[in-house]
Amino acid sequence: MPHEVRTEVETFVKRLKENPKARGTYNKRFDYYSANFEYGFVHYAIVDQVLRVIMLRITAVY
């Protein structure tokens, strides 16, 4: 993965940890969130009992 793409993914994940519900769109049927970033998109789930973000898929197109 090119350096600029990796940097963008790391920045996105850092922001996601700050407020995961505000960053994505919730899919009630499948119980996960989706969010776009400059090079692709992310699917993730949130565990509310202990704030935990589980990355289901990160797709980067470059």
Side-chain angles (χ1 to χ4, degrees):
M1 179 181 306
H3 178 71
E4 69 257 7
V5 177
R6 178 179 288 287
T7 302
E8 179 68 26
V9 169
E10 289 171 355
T11 302
F12 178 83
V13 170
K14 181 181 175 184
R15 290 184 186 140
L16 186 64
K17 286 189 222 177
E18 293 169 2
N19 193 351
K21 291 183 179 181
R23 295 275 173 205
T25 303
Y26 183 63
N27 182 322
K28 188 174 182 176
R29 181 175 179 203
F30 295 109
D31 192 29
Y32 69 81
Y33 288 79
S34 297
N36 296 323
F37 65 101
E38 187 175 347
Y39 293 98
F41 63 92
V42 176
H43 290 158
Y44 60 96
I46 299 173
V47 178
D48 285 321
Q49 290 81 2
V50 232
L51 182 56
R52 178 176 291 176
V53 177
I54 302 167
M55 305 303 282
L56 302 174
R57 174 184 293 174
I58 299 175
T59 303
V61 180
Y62 48 92

